[in-house]
Amino acid sequence: MRRVVILYNPRSGRARSRRKSDVERAAAVFRAKNLEVETHPTTGARCADRQAKQFVEAGFDTVIACGGDGTVHDVLQGMVGTEAVLGVLPLGTANSLAADLGLSRNPALAASQLLTAQATRIAIGRIHYQRTPDRRETRYFTVAAGVGVDAALFYKLNAQFKQRYGMVAYVGESLRQWVVQKFHPFRVEWNDLDSGQQRSEIVTQLLVVRIADFGGVLKQLAPGADLLRDDFRLVLFKTASRARYLRFVTGRLIGQDWSDPHIELVDAKSVSCFPHNHDGTAREPVIHAEADGELLGRLPVQMEMLPSAFNLLIPPRK
């Protein structure tokens, strides 16, 4: 680490009034080690990828994404395939990747952790989705991706709700939306790593999980998932029962691994999602997809793992 740029989201989280001072506290820690440091605000949604790429091309070897999971997601898009290193300073509302890495919410302490972190080249998830009826797009993700009910929640919720009212209110509104959502079925296909067989299931929700610890009250959403693995942990909800969903989530909250034949956890390196029916009629429900908490688009969706895709600063794990 020699030349460091901190890209911070001035709109992320609820403590926006002190965002600049928090960023400068972190920068001071790096400068105390005689590193060249610059700080720059992100210029808008889906702009941080271009900013990160420009700084890497200008010779910065380390890019620090300062904000929440959304900010990290945007910066990540400009880092994949480069030799530069991505670091995380958790100052957003949702900081799942930072929680999994064990990073402090104190910016100065987190910066100190990054100074002793190991630059590790890891795999990345890539998702292809339908942005509009005539336009396909691709994004990378680190934390998780989802197709079905949880993505529909992101679609229904106001994009500013979380920032305006905080995570508690956001979760409350999510639960309310979840109660009224329809659970539309769709088809999932993947090659099961345990059996080696090509499998297909009709589900109402797919979660593709990369990390072990989401932080807060929700720890292990998908036991066995790990950021250092080269595969996904898939959670397949083969049910439209809200009671089964609630039982699964409750089990994850209290650390109980209740078995349910309608909810299956499997390992895969790629997965594809298609509408349940292929009649092409207007009655086909729109099924949404998200990644790292960012609403992306709709079916059809394909995801795969890209091994050794980018460098991430990972502090020593306890």
Side-chain angles (χ1 to χ4, degrees), residues 278-289:
H278 289 279
D279 56 11
T281 67
R283 293 174 296 177
E284 188 74 49
V286 174
I287 296 175
H288 295 279

Side-chain angles (χ1 to χ4, degrees), residues 2 22 32 88 140 196 244 253 263-264 303 308:
R2 300 180 307 279
D22 283 343
V88 179
Y140 303 104
R244 292 184 183 277
L253 290 173
I263 301 176
E264 186 177 5
M303 291 181 252
S308 189

Side-chain angles (χ1 to χ4, degrees), residues 15-28:
R16 294 187 290 276
S17 61
R18 64 170 189 267
R19 179 57 38 81
K20 181 64 175 176
S21 62
D22 283 343
V23 170
E24 288 302 324
R25 286 172 60 200

Side-chain angles (χ1 to χ4, degrees), residues 201-317:
E201 293 281 358
I202 301 300
V203 305
T204 57
Q205 168 72 36
L206 170 70
L207 295 176
V208 179
V209 183
R210 290 278 292 122
I211 64 173
D213 186 354
F214 281 76
V217 295
L218 183 60
K219 297 289 186 178
Q220 287 197 340
L221 180 62
D226 193 297
L227 194 62
L228 298 182
R229 290 177 54 161
D230 287 341
D231 57 11
F232 299 126
R233 190 70 164 150
L234 307 183
V235 186
L236 304 151
F237 293 85
K238 300 177 285 185
T239 176
S241 167
R242 285 184 171 83
R244 292 184 183 277
Y245 273 78
L246 185 60
R247 187 171 185 268
F248 173 82
V249 174
T250 301
R252 299 274 61 81
L253 290 173
I254 65 176
Q256 289 290 328
D257 189 15
W258 289 320
S259 61
D260 189 322
H262 297 86
I263 301 176
E264 186 177 5
L265 277 72
V266 299
D267 298 319
K269 291 193 174 183
S270 63
V271 60
S272 299
C273 306
F274 305 98
H276 184 25
N277 300 312
H278 289 279
D279 56 11
T281 67
R283 293 174 296 177
E284 188 74 49
V286 174
I287 296 175
H288 295 279
E290 60 86 13
D292 290 343
E294 301 294 304
L295 180 68
L296 300 178
R298 60 186 66 181
L299 295 184
V301 166
Q302 287 81 40
M303 291 181 252
E304 70 267 351
M305 288 297 297
L306 301 180
S308 189
F310 80 109
N311 294 311
L312 179 66
L313 284 175
I314 301 180
R317 297 193 173 190

Side-chain angles (χ1 to χ4, degrees), residues 27-294:
V29 173
F30 294 127
R31 292 185 179 116
K33 297 297 183 180
N34 296 318
L35 302 179
E36 178 184 342
V37 182
E38 292 188 16
T39 65
H40 295 272
T42 58
T43 55
R46 291 203 173 191
C47 293
D49 57 344
R50 293 191 295 274
Q51 291 177 270
K53 189 173 182 179
Q54 288 169 355
F55 281 110
V56 171
E57 291 173 348
F60 286 83
D61 55 81
T62 305
V63 179
I64 308 295
C66 181
D69 289 329
T71 303
V72 176
H73 176 82
D74 282 346
V75 172
L76 174 71
Q77 310 307 311
M79 302 289 292
V80 174
T82 74
E83 293 302 316
V85 182
L86 174 65
V88 179
L89 280 175
L91 293 181
T93 305
N95 301 279
S96 298
L97 179 59
D100 188 65
L101 294 174
L103 289 165
S104 171
R105 291 296 299 269
N106 180 297
L109 290 179
S112 296
Q113 288 177 281
L114 293 179
L115 284 172
T116 61
Q118 179 70 38
T120 305
R121 198 153 187 92
I122 66 170
I124 194 73
R126 181 168 62 183
I127 178 170
H128 313 270
Y129 55 93
Q130 205 70 29
R131 180 71 173 181
T132 64
D134 58 353
R135 179 181 168 190
R136 297 281 289 173
E137 286 189 0
T138 298
R139 300 284 283 181
Y140 303 104
F141 64 94
T142 55
V143 174
V147 179
V149 179
D150 79 315
L153 294 177
F154 287 109
Y155 177 74
K156 293 289 185 180
L157 287 172
N158 186 307
Q160 302 300 318
F161 193 97
K162 181 171 62 175
Q163 292 182 353
R164 188 177 302 161
Y165 300 111
M167 183 58 76
V168 173
Y170 184 79
V171 170
E173 178 63 13
S174 297
L175 290 173
R176 189 187 75 80
Q177 289 285 349
W178 178 76
V179 169
V180 300
Q181 286 295 320
K182 291 184 178 180
F183 290 34
H184 296 297
F186 58 96
R187 181 164 53 90
V188 177
E189 297 179 354
W190 77 99
N191 185 274
D192 190 281
L193 292 182
D194 291 330
S195 67
Q197 296 179 339
Q198 187 72 19
R199 292 188 56 191
S200 177
E201 293 281 358
I202 301 300
V203 305
T204 57
Q205 168 72 36
L206 170 70
L207 295 176
V208 179
V209 183
R210 290 278 292 122
I211 64 173
D213 186 354
F214 281 76
V217 295
L218 183 60
K219 297 289 186 178
Q220 287 197 340
L221 180 62
D226 193 297
L227 194 62
L228 298 182
R229 290 177 54 161
D230 287 341
D231 57 11
F232 299 126
R233 190 70 164 150
L234 307 183
V235 186
L236 304 151
F237 293 85
K238 300 177 285 185
T239 176
S241 167
R242 285 184 171 83
R244 292 184 183 277
Y245 273 78
L246 185 60
R247 187 171 185 268
F248 173 82
V249 174
T250 301
R252 299 274 61 81
L253 290 173
I254 65 176
Q256 289 290 328
D257 189 15
W258 289 320
S259 61
D260 189 322
H262 297 86
I263 301 176
E264 186 177 5
L265 277 72
V266 299
D267 298 319
K269 291 193 174 183
S270 63
V271 60
S272 299
C273 306
F274 305 98
H276 184 25
N277 300 312
H278 289 279
D279 56 11
T281 67
R283 293 174 296 177
E284 188 74 49
V286 174
I287 296 175
H288 295 279
E290 60 86 13
D292 290 343
E294 301 294 304

